[in-house]
Structures are given as structure tokens and as C-alpha cells.
Amino acid sequence: MIKKLYIILIFLIILFSCKKNEVSSILYTNNISIYNNQTNDNPLLIPPLLENKSKNSNEVHYELTVQKGEYEFVKGTKVITYGYNGNYLGPTIRAKKNQKVKIKIANKLREYTTVHWHGLLVPGEVDGGPHQIINPDGEWNPEFIIIQPAATAWYHPHGIGNTAIQVYKGLAGLFIIDDEVSENLNLPKDYGVDDIPLVIQDKRLTSDGVPLYLTNMNDIMEGMKGNTILVNGVVNPYLDVATMKYRFRLLNGSNARTYNFRLSNREEFYQIAADAGFLEKPVNLQELRLSPGERAEIIIDFSKNKKGNIIYLESGNFEIIKFRVNKIVKDNLIIPEKLTEIEWLKMRDSNQFRNFRLEGMGPHVSINGKIYDMNRIDEVMNLNNTEIWTLTSTNGGMMGMMRSSSGMLHNFHAHGIHFQILERNGKEVPENEKGWKDTVLIEENEKVKIITRFLYKGLFMYHCHVLEHEDNGMMGQFVVE
Ligand code: C2O
Ligand code: CU
Ligand code: CU
């Protein structure tokens, strides 16, 4: 109780002091715009595909160096960033189902890091969570076999207390999995040409392009939200498109911001994949919500446009990326009606029920009343077992105080498993969430039921993917044995 009053007091003091100093000052705003209106458009960059060093088609060999870099978010201002094999973000890794993946990772930072494969089903000891530390000048050589269907996954650091800042500095990359289904479907699949990755992040940049981190109370309570959107590291990005259908692989790689994607012309688009694989059939959407860590593959149809048309992918009242229609072509692609077949887990196969209660905000976050402890196992599961979990989220009644801000949400992500959502507040799940997932948004006071099965042994994490919450201990560990 005293703690809560204390936080409210600090919050009020900061609120008043920032009112005085002009709320619009960059330090205090979580609203997008300062930058997005001022700079010129920049062409979208596409993360390069990482070169596979293996000659054997059953294996892929990759090399990653975690390094410090210099990057210009805004022309003329070089700032210190982190990247994998480069200055900011990382190359896209690709592997096929049943292939063996060998990755050699060298840490050239002056601090420790880890590399976690978010969305990959791999054994605990190669998962890259907080237990697989790579020290400065150290190396890590995980090997695993891809056992899951085609999907857009990603990789990022997962240390204790340094995940959020390392991701903010630039450590994140895509991991695309292919299989027979994805190869045979008639979908755009030319990487960087009509199959475009979009890593969406936000950063707080000063007017000359220097990133700031945790500068106000909202950042501390809700997680770091910036004033500028970056797509693949580019501020004010544009992409020239022809009058045809494009596939976009969306990753919300932001520390804390949730997006509600839609098109500026209010046309529908089609979601074809959720976090961990294809939906059974494409879902027409006007709006798509993605919380931190979630992915979606969508098809946008530009075929009915005229040359010169401009369409934005937007969220709320800000733009994410500008599409400039600059070429007329004949569009022959018909989106397949059926994408894949999903094995639906059955409630009657589950004999184990668990609850995960996400609670609090800022420095006082917990799951089931506990904060993360590396030396404590919170849950024990049996290999191949099916379980039903109920996820809930509450803010401990403090939300009213924070209404002035852009809102705070928790989500839930687990390592080592994929899950299916059974219901949201007792109601049916939206069509576009009927697929394999590994991260799910939980609204305040919502009850989300998921079903999952354990395919690998080992130690795994579950946590809120608002990275500042994760770093503050909104995380637990389970062992599959
Ligand atoms: Cu994307 Cu445990 O994280
Ligand atoms: Cu993960
Ligand atoms: Cu959270």
C-alpha cells in the first residue's frame, strides 16, 4: 500500500513538472509525430538474407556477430547503436523444416548478451534465454533441427535486466522458416521484392536524431514508447510498389507499443499467417492489432490503384510506411482459399490447468504475485502433455491514474511451445487469431484461455513481452521433463 502511494506521488510530481515545462517537450511525450512530419522520405531498407555457409542441403550454417555500430536515424547525426553483423538490426535467417541449423555467434560487445529464438520450437538448452549467456568476446554455438511449420519468427537478446535496452539499441532480426506448404502455395515469395519484411519499432529521437531511453514516468510504468516510427531501421520509410499483391511479414519489434494496423484508404487486406504459422484460410481485415513480439503475414492488394497513388500503412493517428504506386502491371495472383491444415489441440486431451495472473505496472510487475528469480522453477510440465492455461491481466487499480497516457497493456509469451487461443473472456476468438501463436495480448481484466503441448524438454521462460516489464521481473520459468 505504502509502495503504491509512493508511486502515485512520484507520478503526480512528474506530471505537474512536465505540465510546467511544456508537455510537448520531447522528453515527456509518447506521441508519434515530432519526427515523422519533419524529415524527408527515405527508401525502405530490406534486411539482407544471411549467407548459408553449408554445402549440405540438410543443414544450414550461419554466423552472427553481435557488435557495436554507428547509425544515422536522421541524416547528419551518427549515434551509437547495436546490430548483428552490422550497425542496426540483423540479417534475416532462413531455414527449412527438417533442416539442421548450426549458428556460430560471437559477442563483440563490452557487455554480455544472449540470442533467443523467439517463436522457434527448440530444446531448452539452445533456446537462448537468460541461462545461455554469451560473455564479451565469448562465443555460443547452438544447433537445432527445425520441427515446426513455415512461419516468421525472430531473434533478439534475453539477458536479465538488459533485454529492453539491447533491443532498443538495435538487436533484433527475423528468422523465416519455410516448408513444403509455404513453398507450394501460390503466394508472393520473392524476398525483398514482393515478400517484404517490416520490422516495426518506435524510438524517442531528439530533433537531431539522437535516441533517448526512459526519460519519463510513462516509460517507466508502461514501457518505453517513442515519438518516431522506424521500419527496418528507417525513419519515414516509403516503398515503391506496382499494381499487384504484396506479402508483408510484420514484426512488432517495439519495446512496448501495440499497433492497430490499417490502410489509409480503408481497404481490406488479408492476414495469412499468425505468429507461428499460416492460418487455415486468409482472413479479410480492416484493422490488425499486434502487441510487442507478435507477428503477422498479410497480403495487400495494390492492383486497383492508379500510378501516382499513395497509400499508407497506419496505426492510430500516425503513419508507419508510405506505399507509392509507381508501376502498372497485370496482377494474376489469386490468393489461395486454403492455406494449410492446422492440428487443433483438444480440450479433452488436457488434464492440467494453470493460471497466469499478470499484474502491476512499472517496477512493480509480477506473474502470479512473483517476480522473476533465475534460481526458482515456477512450473513443472510433462513432455508431450497437453495443458490449458488461463491468462489474466490487472493493473492493481492504478490504471485510472494513467489514463492520460496512451494506455498500458500486458501480453504473454512463452518459449519452447506454440499455443492456440481457445477463448477471450468466454467468447470466440477472432478469425485471425485462430492459428498457432506464441505471444498473445491480454487486455485489462480480460481472461484469455490457451491450449498448448510440450514437445521439447528443458527450461523455458514465460513473460510479458513489454520489454521493460520483462526486465523488471514479469517473467517466470517452467521445466518440461
Ligand atoms: Cu521475444 Cu522471451 O522473448
Ligand atoms: Cu521467445
Ligand atoms: Cu507487461
Side-chain angles (χ1 to χ4, degrees), residues 116-119 413 415:
H116 165 58
W117 318 108
H118 179 135
H413 165 58
H415 297 201

Side-chain angles (χ1 to χ4, degrees), residues 20 31 61 135 139 145 185 261 272 316 335 365 458 462 466:
K20 250 190 253 148
N31 295 333
H61 298 175
N135 281 314
E139 247 187 51
I145 292 170
L185 274 172
F261 297 110
I272 55 169
I335 305 171
V365 283
Y462 55 88
V466 169

Side-chain angles (χ1 to χ4, degrees), residues 116 118 154 156 158 293 413 415 461 463 465 470:
H116 165 58
H118 179 135
W154 63 303
H156 65 77
H158 218 297
H413 165 58
H415 297 201
M461 305 295 131
H463 58 89
H465 216 288
E470 173 188 333

Side-chain angles (χ1 to χ4, degrees), residues 186-330:
N186 187 23
L187 289 172
K189 42 174 91 98
D190 200 350
Y191 181 84
V193 177
D194 58 11
D195 178 354
I196 313 276
L198 300 177
V199 179
I200 296 144
Q201 301 175 305
D202 59 339
K203 241 164 260 303
R204 181 167 306 141
L205 297 184
T206 64
S207 51
D208 42 10
V210 178
L212 305 175
Y213 186 67
L214 293 187
T215 52
N216 72 43
M217 198 58 177
N218 277 339
D219 301 346
I220 293 163
M221 300 313 269
E222 303 177 359
M224 181 66 205
K225 289 184 202 138
N227 59 6
T228 308
I229 298 293
L230 308 174
V231 182
N232 300 346
V234 178
V235 173
N236 275 358
Y238 72 83
L239 179 72
D240 285 332
V241 295
T243 50
M244 56 181 224
K245 298 183 188 75
Y246 285 74
R247 173 192 198 163
F248 294 96
R249 298 174 188 260
L250 269 43
L251 160 65
N252 181 353
S254 309
N255 282 39
R257 188 179 286 277
T258 291
Y259 300 89
N260 284 296
F261 297 110
R262 60 160 194 260
L263 295 171
S264 53
N265 60 11
R266 298 296 181 273
E267 273 187 24
E268 289 189 329
F269 52 91
Y270 309 86
Q271 186 174 349
I272 55 169
D275 297 333
F278 284 116
L279 301 169
E280 287 197 317
K281 45 186 197 299
V283 177
N284 297 29
L285 290 177
Q286 239 165 1
E287 201 166 271
L288 164 63
R289 185 176 68 171
L290 288 186
S291 65
E294 285 185 293
R295 288 89 63 212
E297 292 179 32
I298 63 170
I299 303 273
I300 302 181
D301 184 357
F302 296 105
S303 68
K304 285 175 217 88
N305 280 281
K306 289 197 198 69
K307 204 167 164 173
N309 279 9
I310 286 180
I311 297 147
Y312 290 95
L313 181 67
E314 320 173 318
S315 171
N317 56 359
F318 53 87
E319 287 141 11
I320 307 280
I321 179 172
K322 180 197 258 185
F323 300 115
R324 311 194 306 197
V325 181
N326 77 337
K327 203 170 151 200
I328 305 292
V329 295
K330 193 154 168 6

Side-chain angles (χ1 to χ4, degrees), residues 12-163:
L12 286 177
I13 291 170
I14 294 197
L15 192 73
F16 283 124
S17 56
C18 60
K19 279 257 157 64
K20 250 190 253 148
N21 302 340
E22 218 22 71
V23 184
S24 64
S25 131
I26 291 169
L27 288 187
Y28 298 111
T29 188
N30 294 59
N31 295 333
I32 301 289
S33 79
I34 302 220
Y35 237 87
N36 286 27
N37 300 328
Q38 285 180 14
T39 50
N40 297 328
D41 294 346
N42 301 301
L44 179 73
L45 300 175
I46 304 290
L49 286 171
L50 187 53
E51 189 199 343
N52 168 22
K53 301 249 163 94
S54 163
K55 300 252 146 55
N56 174 345
S57 67
N58 299 322
E59 294 190 359
V60 285
H61 298 175
Y62 288 119
E63 288 174 19
L64 283 181
T65 302
V66 197
Q67 60 194 59
K68 200 161 122 179
E70 270 188 324
Y71 192 74
E72 292 182 23
F73 291 109
V74 170
K75 266 184 211 83
T77 307
K78 280 207 174 103
V79 296
I80 301 292
T81 49
Y82 285 175
Y84 296 105
N85 298 4
N87 292 318
Y88 187 78
L89 296 179
T92 298
I93 299 178
R94 261 189 123 127
K96 278 187 207 153
K97 191 173 173 184
N98 300 324
Q99 268 180 335
K100 180 170 203 174
V101 181
K102 294 188 182 180
I103 309 188
K104 186 164 141 184
I105 301 162
N107 178 12
K108 292 291 167 210
L109 301 176
R110 288 219 207 100
E111 57 179 314
Y112 88 86
T113 191
T114 86
V115 181
H116 165 58
W117 318 108
H118 179 135
L120 261 60
L121 292 180
V122 295
E125 71 262 21
V126 289
D127 177 65
H131 296 269
Q132 284 108 36
I133 282 178
I134 318 172
N135 281 314
D137 285 321
E139 247 187 51
W140 186 50
N141 294 281
E143 293 184 19
F144 46 82
I145 292 170
I146 304 287
I147 60 162
Q148 67 194 82
T152 304
W154 63 303
Y155 58 98
H156 65 77
H158 218 297
I160 294 174
N162 64 3
T163 296

